[in-house]
């Protein structure tokens, strides 16, 4: 299996609106969830969405090495995002 691989969560996705409010969020990768396929869970203000990795992602040697933040705006205006009070944890399986 070659090439870039992507996945998309479905259902009601969490949103951040440009209202200046602070938000709590988490991003968790669990390689043994979903019968060993692996799962990514994102939580924003207590609303969670899960992405189960597709067959072959782990076998292809895929790495979870980044994530993105996108905006629904298409008018070309930039946004400034601040990250504060970050905590990073990891556990090698």
């Amino acid at each position: 299996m070659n090439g870039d691989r992507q996945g998309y969560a479905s259902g009601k996705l969490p949103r951040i609106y440009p209202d200046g409010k602070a938000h709590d969020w988490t991003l968790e990768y669990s390689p043994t969830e979903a019968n060993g396929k692996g799962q990514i869970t994102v939580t924003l203000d207590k609303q969670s969405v899960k992405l189960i990795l597709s067959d072959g992602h782990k076998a292809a040697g895929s790495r979870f090495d980044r994530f993105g933040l996108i905006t629904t705006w298409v008018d070309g205006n930039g946004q400034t995002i601040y990250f504060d009070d970050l905590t990073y944890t990891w556990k090698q399986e």
Side-chain angles (χ1 to χ4, degrees):
M1 301 182 137
N2 296 323
D4 292 334
R5 297 195 165 270
Q6 299 181 39
Y8 300 92
S10 60
K12 185 174 169 135
L13 303 177
R15 304 272 190 231
I16 297 176
Y17 296 99
D19 55 13
K21 294 181 181 178
H23 300 277
D24 292 321
W25 64 277
T26 63
L27 187 147
E28 180 180 354
Y29 169 60
S30 302
T32 58
E33 289 291 323
N35 296 317
K37 287 183 178 183
Q39 176 176 285
I40 297 171
T41 304
V42 176
T43 303
L44 175 66
D45 295 333
K46 300 181 183 178
Q47 180 185 353
S48 295
V49 64
K50 296 180 181 188
L51 168 68
I52 296 173
L53 277 64
S54 298
D55 289 328
H57 272 145
K58 286 172 57 176
S62 297
R63 294 175 166 256
F64 179 72
D65 60 3
R66 68 191 77 186
F67 73 99
L69 298 172
I70 61 168
T71 175
T72 58
W73 294 98
V74 293
D75 60 3
N77 289 329
Q79 296 180 2
T80 302
I81 300 173
Y82 297 95
F83 292 93
D84 193 6
D85 299 326
L86 296 176
T87 302
Y88 173 83
T89 60
W90 69 276
K91 175 183 163 188
Q92 188 167 348
E93 300 286 327

